């Protein structure tokens, strides 16, 4: 028995954006959490990779007394936009049932509303996760279309990713 449910592009995007909006509002409604590692990023300690502390420093300058709320909003937006780009670009590359992409989106948003609460933490994972998704989709797109330009698009994102978490140096030879 084969289920062949067709979904229009308009309905797909509506459902996808609905999922992302719900997750965004759930995520920013929670207070920001501080972990033992958070102090190292907030104080720009020398032993931390420079990317995330510089990101927090820029947010602190712009946001003033609303630093925690603005951090949650910006981290949530960056992450959910990256998930949207990942899912929609993957959908253009592979012709699978749209429900698969919606389920993929649900799986990808889990770190924003469950255990990790990525939008609400002062940890580099909040910036690393969306950057990782963007670099990955550029690599996948380049591989599937044989378009080297997508690797050039990935380079500046990869640079920021490596500044944020140096363990992603392995992505250079992969590209």
């Amino acid at each position: 028995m084969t289920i062949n449910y067709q979904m229009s592009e308009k309905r797909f995007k509506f459902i996808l954006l609905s999922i992302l909006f719900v997750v965004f509002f759930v995520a920013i409604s929670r207070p920001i959490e501080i972990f033992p590692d958070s102090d190292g990023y907030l104080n720009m300690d020398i032993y931390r990779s420079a990317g995330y502390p510089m990101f927090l420093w820029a947010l602190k300058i712009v946001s003033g007394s609303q630093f925690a709320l603005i951090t949650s909003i910006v981290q949530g937006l960056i992450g959910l936009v990256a998930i949207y780009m990942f899912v929609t670009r993957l959908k253009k590359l592979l012709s699978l049932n749209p429900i698969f992409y919606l389920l993929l989106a649900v799986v990808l948003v889990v770190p924003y509303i469950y255990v990790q609460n990525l939008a609400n933490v002062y940890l580099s994972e909040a910036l690393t996760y969306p950057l990782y998704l963007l670099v990955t989709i550029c690599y996948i797109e380049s591989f599937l279309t044989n378009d080297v330009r997508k690797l050039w698009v990935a380079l500046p994102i990869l640079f920021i990713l490596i500044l944020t978490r140096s363990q992603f140096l392995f992505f250079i030879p992969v590209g």
Side-chain angles (χ1 to χ4, degrees), residues 29-68:
S29 68
R30 297 177 177 168
I32 200 149
E33 296 179 55
I34 297 179
F35 290 90
D37 288 351
S38 299
D39 288 336
Y41 296 114
L42 292 166
N43 297 328
M44 298 181 80
D45 289 342
I46 193 75
Y47 61 88
R48 296 286 176 200
S49 296
Y52 190 65
M54 288 175 24
F55 171 76
L56 289 176
W57 174 78
L59 284 179
K60 195 179 291 186
I61 287 176
V62 172
S63 63
S65 65
Q66 297 297 318
F67 177 59

Side-chain angles (χ1 to χ4, degrees), residues 77-89 108 127-142 150-151 153-158 160-161 171:
L77 283 175
I78 290 171
L80 296 176
V81 166
I83 291 169
Y84 177 82
M85 291 176 66
F86 186 88
V87 170
T88 56
R89 287 170 71 180
L108 292 175
L127 196 55
T128 304
Y129 182 65
L131 292 172
Y132 170 78
L133 289 175
L134 292 174
V135 171
T136 302
I137 195 61
C138 287
Y139 278 17
I140 291 170
E141 198 169 4
S142 177
K150 299 300 178 185
L151 292 178
V153 170
L155 281 178
I157 302 167
L158 180 58
I160 296 168
L161 177 61
F171 255 31

